[in-house]
Amino acid sequence: MFGLSQRGKPQNTSRPGARFSAALVGVFAAMFALAMTFAAPARAQDTRLPVGVSFSILADIVKSVGGDRIDVTTLVGPDQDTHTYEPTPADVAKLSGTKLFFVNGLGFEGWLPRLMKSSHYPGQLVTVTKGLKPRTMVDDGKTVTDPHMFQDPERVKTMVDNIAAALSQADPAGASYYAERAKNYRGALDDLIKWADKQLAAIPPSRRVVLTSHDAFGYLGQRFSIKFLAPEGVSTQSEASAKDVANLIRVIRRTGIRAVFMENISNPRLVQRIAHDAKVTVDGKLYSDALSKNPEATTYLQLFQYNIRALATAMKDNR
């Protein structure tokens, strides 16, 4: 059930870009559902703690900790790009009724300072990456902070703790409820890491090279020893130069990289062009900065499972 699919050998798993096997998703879904069976009965809608969240991946994690005691408003939804998002007056109205506003921080929400200034937000701003040391990277000749910490489940565990602490402070009566849910979600993340290690164990370092649209997977690469190449930088707002594109094409031709992916939030044309010029096939898409309406990535746990399975299968084809 957990084996990787291979070219020419039909199995009950899928090639990258297709859905996970129903059995695999069911294992993880059942695991987390079982962990949450202790949850308290749902409270009336008007008694829930109203909270805002900047983007869909973080919203799912906040919901997993807050459960029935919170009512979540999300600004940047599934398959939407947080980097290029532009706040609207409607967003100000959405936030006005919330007590907490959870954000990633580290510059991920580049529009956040403008929103905070225009909204005069009366609640508490909670940066979930607080206490975590970010990695840095070179982007357009400058050293910048990589904000995509949610691509590393180990770091997400600290984010979960920060979420539980903020919810408990705002809703002391639910402190034990939030603590228990956070504990179980951290356990699900531990299981996810162990599973990912097993999926990638047979792939030698020389094959662990992947091309994606923008540089969003650095933390995942750091955790699982995968090298990610991207024509665009840390944000989808950055533009790839002709020189950078040409260099990537040369690298693909020289090294035999076959793991090439688009992203659910990015225009696919640049990656498709690079793949065409390098004479390789695009393996499908990865879910980078957002959840999706597609059933394989409606939660963070599903998203990560899908990405690891797709990456593992594609990297096996690298020369």
Side-chain angles (χ1 to χ4, degrees):
M1 178 174 66
F2 291 92
L4 294 171
S5 62
Q6 301 177 6
R7 294 185 185 274
K9 296 183 179 181
Q11 297 184 16
N12 60 350
T13 53
S14 303
R15 282 191 52 78
R19 298 182 180 179
F20 278 107
S21 67
L24 178 62
V25 174
V27 167
F28 280 88
M31 171 188 68
F32 190 63
L34 180 62
M36 293 301 168
T37 54
F38 61 84
R43 307 192 322 167
Q45 179 73 19
D46 60 0
T47 65
R48 295 179 180 180
L49 177 68
V51 304
V53 186
S54 58
F55 70 111
S56 60
I57 291 176
L58 181 56
D60 178 65
I61 299 171
V62 170
K63 291 174 185 177
S64 297
V65 177
D68 294 323
R69 296 189 69 91
I70 67 172
D71 182 29
V72 177
T73 295
T74 308
L75 296 189
V76 188
D79 294 314
Q80 293 182 326
D81 186 354
T82 306
H83 293 297
T84 60
Y85 189 72
E86 289 294 336
T88 66
D91 294 328
V92 176
K94 288 178 183 179
L95 285 179
S96 63
T98 64
K99 301 296 184 182
L100 303 172
F101 183 30
F102 291 95
V103 300
N104 183 83
L106 302 175
F108 183 70
E109 303 96 343
W111 40 265
L112 183 61
R114 300 193 305 276
L115 180 61
M116 290 295 95
K117 182 178 180 180
S118 62
S119 67
H120 302 289
Y121 183 62
Q124 179 187 355
L125 183 67
V126 182
T127 303
V128 299
T129 54
K130 182 179 179 180
L132 287 166
K133 183 179 180 180
R135 66 185 289 270
T136 58
M137 55 185 290
V138 177
D139 185 4
D140 197 22
K142 300 178 181 178
T143 300
V144 299
T145 297
D146 184 353
H148 302 89
M149 284 191 177
F150 48 85
Q151 291 292 346
D152 177 10
E154 185 64 39
R155 287 180 168 90
V156 171
K157 290 194 291 184
T158 297
M159 295 164 63
V160 166
D161 290 339
N162 289 337
I163 292 167
L167 291 175
S168 297
Q169 184 178 19
D171 176 23
S176 61
Y177 176 80
Y178 300 133
E180 192 67 20
R181 291 183 68 89
K183 175 183 175 182
N184 282 277
Y185 196 77
R186 287 195 305 270
L189 292 170
D190 283 332
D191 290 340
L192 189 65
I193 294 170
K194 293 175 183 177
W195 170 83
D197 282 331
K198 290 180 180 179
Q199 299 302 302
L200 300 170
I203 301 173
S206 62
R207 294 190 178 186
R208 296 191 182 204
V209 186
V210 179
L211 175 70
T212 59
S213 302
H214 88 290
D215 216 334
F217 295 96
Y219 289 98
L220 185 150
Q222 188 180 65
R223 176 64 53 193
F224 298 104
S225 300
I226 302 171
K227 182 177 182 180
F228 284 91
L229 306 175
E232 296 175 341
V234 71
S235 170
T236 53
Q237 291 179 311
S238 63
E239 294 184 3
S241 68
K243 180 180 178 181
D244 290 338
V245 171
N247 285 338
L248 280 174
I249 293 172
R250 282 194 292 271
V251 169
I252 293 171
R253 289 174 174 172
R254 184 179 70 250
T255 61
I257 296 172
R258 293 291 181 270
V260 178
F261 290 93
M262 299 176 291
E263 298 173 26
N264 67 315
I265 64 164
S266 300
N267 189 319
R269 285 180 295 180
L270 180 56
V271 168
Q272 289 171 338
R273 177 185 136 204
I274 293 173
H276 177 269
D277 292 347
K279 294 181 172 54
V280 296
T281 302
V282 176
D283 284 284
K285 65 184 173 184
L286 297 177
Y287 295 98
S288 54
D289 295 354
L291 299 180
S292 178
K293 295 178 181 178
N294 294 330
E296 66 261 16
T298 60
T299 71
Y300 174 72
L301 297 180
Q302 288 176 334
L303 175 152
F304 204 86
Q305 295 160 25
Y306 178 93
N307 284 349
I308 289 294
R309 176 57 63 87
L311 287 166
T313 304
M315 287 189 296
K316 287 182 66 177
D317 289 339
N318 283 340
R319 289 202 300 263

